[in-house]
Structure formats: C-alpha cells, structure tokens
Amino acid sequence: MKTLEQWEGNMAEMYTFTVNGKLVETDKDVSLLRFMRDELKLKSIKDGCSQGACGTCTIIIDGKATRACIMTTKRAVGMNIISVEGLTDLEKEAFVYAFGVKGAVQCGFCTPGMVMAGKALIDKNPNPTDDEIKEAIKANICRCTGYKKIIEAISLTAAIIRGDEKIDTELEKGENFGVGDDAFRIDVREKVLGYGEYVDDMEMEDMLHASAVRTKYPRARILDIDYSEALALEGVVDVLTAKDVPNNKVGHIQQDWDVMIAKGDITRCVGDALCIVVAENEDILKKAKQLVKIEYEVLEPVRSIEEARAENAPKVHENGNLCQTRHVTRGDAKTAIANSKYVITETFETPFTEHAFLEPECAIAHPYKDGVKIYSTDQSVFDTRKEVSIMFGWDPERIVVENKLVGGGFGGKEDMSVQHIAALCAHKLQRTVKIKFSRDESLSFHPKRHKMLGTFTLGCDENGIFQGLDCEINFDTGAYASLCGPVLERACTHSVGPYCYQNTDIRGYGYYTNNPPAGAFRGFGVCQSEFALESMIDLLAEKVGITPWEIRYRNAIEPGKVLPNGQIADCSTALKETLEAVKDVYDKHYPQVGIACAMKNAGVGVGLPDKGRAKLIVNNGIIEIYCGGTDIGQGSATIFVQMAAETLKLPRTAFANMGC
C-alpha cells in the first residue's frame, strides 16, 4: 500500500496545463518547444536555436509572448498556452491577408513566431503604434525582410480585427497573376499558419536519428576514436567512421572536404566530424555522443592569412595553403597611377560574417529504389545530388533530392552539411535517418563570408577623374575551398566599381587556414572589395577638394561607355540618374551622410551562359511546376507560377504548390 508521501510524489510528477483550449498532461519535464512539437505535433512552433535567442518558437502563455524553448512543462503547470494552431478563424485570416498583402513573408521560418508576438500585443492593445509593434517583436529575429513589412502587417492585422479594414478575399486567388503584377505569394498561407513543411517538421515511420561527434580542436591529429561504450548503449544502432565512406572527399567545386576525419589524420577546423552516431531517438543519441572518447595530439593551428602565407607555415592541405588565385588586368595601371595628380594607398580588413539563417540545417534520407532519396533544406538540389554521388561513387540518377521549405540561406546552404551523411547512414542501415544541426553546430560548420585583407591604390587627375587602380586582395577561405575561386574572382572583377576608367591591375589570393570554411554569402565577394574601393574614393575626393557625391558623378559609368573590365554598358545603366535622384537629400545633409555606389553581376556572370529547366505536369486539371531553382525566401516559386500563368493566360488557382 502506498504512503501519502508516495501518492503526493506520483501526483507531483504529472504536469497539467491548457494548450489551445485543451487540457493536456505529461510526466516529462522538458521544454515546451520539445513537448509541443514532439508530443502534440504543433509544428508551427519552429526550433531555430533552442537557446532563447531567435524567437521562432514564440507562443503565448497567460497572455504573454514567450519563447517555448526556455519554458518547461514543469514550470507551465496551470498555465494557458496558445500557438498559431489555436488562433480564431478571424485571427488566422487577418494575419494571412495582412502578411500576404504587405509582403511580410519570405523564407517563413520566423513568421509563426512573429504572428504570436503580434497577437499578444493586439490582445492587449487593439490599435498599436509602430513603436509599440517594434517593442513587441524585439525578441523575434528575421533575416529576410528587414522588419518594416512585418510591422506594417501586424498593424494591418490589428485594423482588420478591430473592424477598421477588410480582407480582399479575391487577392489571394490571383485572378491577375502575371509577371509584374502585385502578387500574393503562393506560400503565404502555409508559412503564416505554420503548417508548411520544413524538413524538421516531417514525421516518417521507423525513423532513426543521427549526429556527428566533432573535434574540439581546429588542428589536431586523431590518435583514437573509441565508440565502444556508445555502441553498447541500448538504442544505439551504429557508429560510422571515415572507413564507412566510399569516397571520403566532397566539395562544391574542389573535392577537398572530408566527410569525416579518419583515425591518424589531422583535423582542419572545429566543425570536422570524427564519427556519426545513429540511434533510435534523440535522447539516446545525445547520451551516446557523450560516451565517445577521442584521443588527440593537439597541434598549433593556422589562424590567419598572415600565418597561412608565412614561410614554414603548417600545411592545412597537402598541396599547401594557397587555395586559389586570380589576376585581372587591363591597360597599364602602374604608369597611370605614376602619372596621377592624386594617389591614395590604404589597407583594409573585413571580418568573417555569419549568415544567421533562422532554420538550422536538417536532412532526412531513406532507401529509394537502388539508391537513396534525400529531403533537404539547401540551395541546390542538383548540387546536392552531384556531391552525394561523388561520395558514393554512384551515377547521380540513383539519388533523388527534394527540397522542402527552406528557412533562409543567403549563400550559407550551398555546401554539403547534413545531406550527405544522412544519405550515407540511410544507405548503410537501409532505414530512414534524420540529421539536424544544433545552432552551435551550424555556426561551427557552414561556410561564412570570407575575411579580406586588401591593399588598394587609386589615382586620379586634378579634376578627380580616375586614372588607374592597383590592388591585392587576400581572402581567408578557412579549412576548405567551398566557393573560394568564384568568390575571389567576383571580388577582383568588381573591385573596380561602376566607373569609367581603363587601367587596372588586381591580384587575388585565397588561403587555407584552420578557421571555419568561407564560401558563398550575399554579394559573393563584392561587398569586401567594393567597401574598400568606396572608402578610397571618399579619401580621394577630399584630396581633390570635391564632395564624395561629385567625384562619383564625374566618374560614373553611362550607357555606351566602357567599364574597366572592357564591357560596354548597355541602355539599362542608370548610375548617373540614381545619383541625380539623391543629390538634393545628399547636399542637404552633407557631411553628416555618406554615399557609395556598387555593381554586381546578374546570374552566373563572367561570360558563362545562364540556363534553367522546368517541367509542367497537368494532374486532374491542376498544373504542377517542377523546377530545381530553390526558393529560400526570395520568392522564386511565386515568380515561376507568374511566368506560367501569364504565358498560359490562367489564374493562380490553376497551379498547385509543389516543391523542388
């Protein structure tokens, strides 16, 4: 017979609270994020960090917007909790319409959290000001929109709910949905209401979970990998090491990136995987990883560009530390600068930059026909297929890759991260396997914007007309090449700016170090070199005695004139018109304001042809569009439908929402 203390103890183990109007109870003391996603299957609550930092898991608890990852089931006892799934029909339609018409939805990963932060505010204050909305969403990060449209959307939602504005039900249907028409994005509803599927939202039968044990040190020899205790733990299915990989090298362009570092080899950065643990669930997986014992011989790392190019520097790769070079030249820069009236030479340094996309990398793979199928969150399904085929040594046709919704990328999801190791585990074990990065893993692993160290010399005549540019650009590409070559090339070719002069000598070097890899990032190398050039132009204007606006206007490229790379500017060039449009404002606030100009290639650039393919299938009277151009929030999926709708003279409703 149980004592009173035993009964009270058993009662204390049950945690009861209300979720979306229903009473729920659990004996698990876990975060509300995990309980509501895993047990209640409320997938609108997104896991962006599990650290209380991003706001993607925002819910409402007793009327207050709260991050679900920092609230536990134990602390929530007796509380009333609401997620997007628990909104009223009016609230759902108001948020969908407002976020759609204001263009407040891009990748969508932050959107349900923004909606809940907005609802908590509107419940207390039906007519909030913009400043009050800003305060309400200050704990919610968005990496796509810049917040202005989100603020406008929450304001419009409030107006609809209080009856001051009405919903135009025809707008979402898209009767006029051609190219250039105001478009209600095709994925607004599923992203606002949180039922659109990102990979982490998928539920698959008999699914295993896997994760990598990663090196503690950026440069160390791996003396031993002892996973015997982990493998003996009940619920652990397997532990894979480098010997299980058919071809242990992958890479976006250069195959220099180890899938796993083998015993006896040397690590190159803290993101390097040493082994992959596969378990029946995430709790067992976490325990098993802690049981893996790694024996290291810690070595001195290569920390910087200067250390990488130093004499007798440790070699990050067998072929040395120089990853890529570029040389772009035209005319005679040396003579032009020597004959210039004014000359400026400066050295500039820019840092690594983190993409901070809201959705951590995630992939699910399962056996499929004579190969594997991968559900991924990346920027190119065909590049993923190519690299996985290289790892396996297979014909690419054996690999099928399907993108679900992608929660941001900005270049940071171009490289392999979890896709190939999920495929490796799935093929070896012949079961479905899911791999998801924690926020810390994501920060350690995926490539950043390249750190730059560059020296620029720019000369002009007495009137400020540019005569020549000489520069040396050095990039830290980190442990692996990623897209070092193309990014370095863009930095060099665009370092001249959108101006009209003909003498340039630009040398670019990309160095391996033991830092995290660097690769694609919005701007693709151009941000670094254009920042340096535009800073140089300001200094040169001061020497000439004219304003920064004036020196740019005098040198601005115009239609029919020749850029420093030899390209002739076409009729779409409007730099002078752009400068003229801001002159009044600039003059009014000078010198308190700054000004800069830049150019960027469209598409592949450097003379390479752009090409794309799509497939349209008519299925029960509905048109399905299949295209490998991944929508990471930029709206390409909507544009594809607009193009087809205009061509076929059909409304939006004739098309299905399909993945890549």
Side-chain angles (χ1 to χ4, degrees):
M1 184 174 181
K2 292 183 179 179
T3 64
L4 178 61
E5 289 79 9
Q6 287 173 322
W7 278 109
E8 288 176 343
N10 288 339
M11 290 174 65
E13 291 173 358
M14 297 303 296
Y15 312 119
T16 306
F17 41 87
T18 302
V19 177
N20 296 332
K22 295 181 180 179
L23 195 66
V24 298
E25 65 177 14
T26 180
D27 60 354
K28 295 181 179 179
D29 182 13
V30 296
S31 74
L32 279 180
L33 169 63
R34 292 270 52 94
F35 177 73
M36 295 177 75
R37 279 186 62 84
D38 300 342
E39 304 297 327
L40 302 184
K41 309 302 180 185
L42 298 174
K43 301 298 187 179
S44 73
I45 306 164
K46 305 304 180 188
D47 184 4
C49 69
S50 288
Q51 298 172 346
C54 71
T56 61
C57 65
T58 300
I59 54 178
I60 296 175
I61 303 180
D62 288 346
K64 182 179 179 181
T66 306
R67 284 157 285 182
C69 67
I70 60 175
M71 174 60 79
T72 65
T73 51
K74 184 176 182 178
R75 291 170 56 204
V77 169
M79 295 181 176
N80 183 46
I81 301 167
I82 304 172
S83 67
V84 168
E85 289 87 349
L87 297 179
T88 67
D89 289 343
L90 172 61
E91 288 171 332
K92 288 179 179 178
E93 293 306 313
F95 276 110
V96 168
Y97 176 75
F99 273 67
V101 77
K102 291 297 182 180
V105 178
Q106 290 191 24
C107 86
F109 201 76
C110 75
T111 304
M114 290 287 185
V115 166
M116 296 314 291
K119 173 182 163 52
L121 171 65
I122 295 168
D123 285 349
K124 294 178 181 178
N125 179 1
N127 192 8
T129 64
D130 284 358
D131 285 342
E132 289 168 335
I133 296 172
K134 291 175 186 177
E135 179 69 20
I137 64 172
K138 68 180 182 182
N140 295 71
I141 296 173
C142 177
R143 276 288 287 118
C144 293
T145 68
Y147 299 100
K148 183 178 185 296
K149 294 178 179 181
I150 294 172
I151 294 165
E152 292 175 353
I154 293 173
S155 180
L156 177 56
T157 301
I160 293 169
I161 290 173
R162 65 176 184 266
D164 292 344
E165 294 285 349
K166 292 184 178 180
I167 296 173
D168 180 356
T169 57
E170 296 302 310
L171 188 60
E172 188 177 359
K173 295 178 183 178
E175 292 300 318
N176 296 311
F177 206 72
V179 176
D181 290 334
D182 288 338
F184 196 102
R185 287 194 182 207
I186 65 171
D187 51 9
V188 166
R189 180 169 292 273
E190 61 182 337
K191 288 179 174 178
V192 170
L193 300 183
Y195 65 82
E197 258 192 349
Y198 300 83
V199 177
D200 192 33
D201 298 329
M202 296 177 68
E203 300 273 353
M204 298 189 75
E205 189 178 349
D206 197 32
M207 184 166 68
L208 299 173
H209 296 264
S211 182
V213 174
R214 300 187 182 277
T215 176
K216 293 180 180 178
Y217 306 100
R219 185 167 181 265
R221 189 179 302 278
I222 304 303
L223 302 179
D224 191 35
I225 304 171
D226 182 0
Y227 54 82
S228 56
E229 288 186 41
L231 195 57
L233 184 66
E234 185 177 356
V236 172
V237 178
D238 204 352
V239 179
L240 280 64
T241 62
K243 68 179 186 297
D244 296 298
V245 188
N247 176 20
N248 199 36
K249 294 285 188 180
V250 295
H252 201 67
I253 296 175
Q254 296 173 236
Q255 279 73 59
D256 64 350
W257 200 330
D258 296 74
V259 178
M260 284 180 271
I261 302 296
K263 179 179 173 180
D265 287 349
I266 296 173
T267 65
R268 298 190 182 90
C269 66
V270 292
D272 280 339
L274 307 180
C275 64
I276 308 295
V277 181
V278 189
E280 294 289 352
N281 61 53
E282 292 184 274
D283 289 338
I284 295 171
L285 180 61
K286 183 177 180 180
K287 293 174 185 175
K289 286 178 64 177
Q290 294 170 347
L291 296 175
V292 177
K293 296 180 177 65
I294 309 297
E295 187 179 345
Y296 300 93
E297 177 192 349
V298 180
L299 303 171
E300 194 70 15
V302 178
R303 304 173 185 85
S304 65
I305 294 168
E306 295 87 346
E307 289 185 6
R309 62 187 181 186
E311 190 175 353
N312 299 321
K315 290 184 178 182
V316 179
H317 288 267
E318 290 182 4
N319 59 345
N321 295 338
L322 183 60
C323 175
Q324 287 282 332
T325 63
R326 292 293 188 274
H327 189 194
V328 181
T329 183
R330 182 174 170 84
D332 185 351
K334 184 177 181 180
T335 301
I337 291 170
N339 293 333
S340 294
K341 174 69 174 178
Y342 302 105
V343 177
I344 294 282
T345 299
E346 293 288 347
T347 297
F348 298 86
E349 186 173 356
T350 64
F352 286 109
T353 312
E354 162 61 34
H355 302 77
F357 39 76
L358 269 292
E359 179 206 24
E361 296 89 337
C362 186
I364 295 173
H366 64 84
Y368 183 75
K369 296 182 179 179
D370 65 340
V372 293
K373 181 170 184 178
I374 305 166
Y375 296 96
S376 181
T377 169
D378 61 45
Q379 293 185 220
S380 174
V381 291
F382 285 98
D383 282 330
T384 295
R385 184 174 73 161
K386 181 191 76 174
E387 289 197 55
V388 173
S389 72
I390 290 170
M391 179 189 71
F392 280 126
W394 289 356
D395 186 310
E397 297 298 323
R398 293 178 65 183
I399 300 153
V400 176
V401 184
E402 179 181 334
N403 264 352
K404 307 303 284 186
L405 294 179
V406 181
F410 319 111
K413 289 180 179 174
E414 285 204 22
D415 298 83
M416 289 298 92
S417 56
V418 290
Q419 308 94 314
H420 58 316
I421 52 178
L424 179 70
C425 295
H427 178 65
K428 184 174 189 296
L429 301 173
Q430 287 298 294
R431 286 182 63 180
T432 301
V433 179
K434 176 180 180 179
I435 299 182
K436 176 189 173 185
F437 274 175
S438 67
R439 178 55 63 182
D440 287 346
E441 273 186 292
S442 179
L443 290 170
S444 296
F445 189 87
H446 75 253
K448 319 301 178 193
R449 189 192 302 281
H450 287 82
K451 174 186 174 69
M452 181 194 76
L453 181 66
T455 299
F456 288 65
T457 299
L458 181 64
C460 71
D461 66 13
E462 64 276 9
N463 296 312
I465 304 302
F466 302 150
Q467 300 299 300
L469 172 71
D470 179 277
C471 64
E472 178 177 305
I473 297 170
N474 297 283
F475 271 0
D476 185 340
T477 200
Y480 302 104
S482 182
L483 281 92
C484 178
V487 175
L488 182 63
E489 186 162 307
R490 297 297 187 279
C492 292
T493 56
H494 289 69
S495 64
V496 298
Y499 304 108
C500 188
Y501 61 105
Q502 300 303 309
N503 300 293
T504 59
D505 192 332
I506 302 124
R507 302 163 303 282
Y509 306 92
Y511 290 95
Y512 288 119
T513 66
N514 292 119
N515 293 317
F521 199 132
R522 279 183 173 175
F524 212 73
V526 179
C527 302
Q528 297 94 308
S529 59
E530 288 274 29
F531 154 72
L533 179 74
E534 292 297 301
S535 300
M536 293 283 291
I537 291 171
D538 285 350
L539 296 172
L540 210 53
E542 188 176 346
K543 276 187 171 287
V544 177
I546 57 179
T547 68
W549 184 95
E550 183 62 36
I551 196 170
R552 287 171 172 83
Y553 190 77
R554 292 182 184 183
N555 288 281
I557 190 67
E558 298 177 72
K561 290 191 175 182
V562 182
L563 284 161
N565 64 1
Q567 287 182 304
I568 301 172
D570 67 16
C571 60
S572 67
T573 304
L575 180 57
K576 280 204 164 182
E577 290 83 349
T578 304
L579 286 165
E580 289 165 356
V582 301
K583 188 176 189 305
D584 290 346
V585 176
Y586 180 83
D587 288 345
K588 181 179 179 180
H589 296 282
Y590 178 75
Q592 284 74 36
V593 296
I595 192 168
C597 303
M599 64 176 179
K600 180 69 175 70
N601 64 291
V604 177
V606 294
L608 296 175
D610 283 306
K611 55 187 177 182
R613 295 183 297 275
K615 179 170 66 175
L616 275 64
I617 295 176
V618 179
N619 188 358
N620 293 324
I622 298 294
I623 300 171
E624 299 172 354
I625 301 175
Y626 294 85
C627 182
T630 302
D631 193 329
I632 57 174
Q634 79 276 35
S636 60
T638 299
I639 297 297
F640 298 154
V641 175
Q642 284 184 291
M643 293 166 69
E646 178 167 312
T647 303
L648 300 173
K649 303 294 187 290
L650 292 172
R652 155 74 186 91
T653 50
F655 298 86
N657 288 2
M658 302 299 295
C660 293

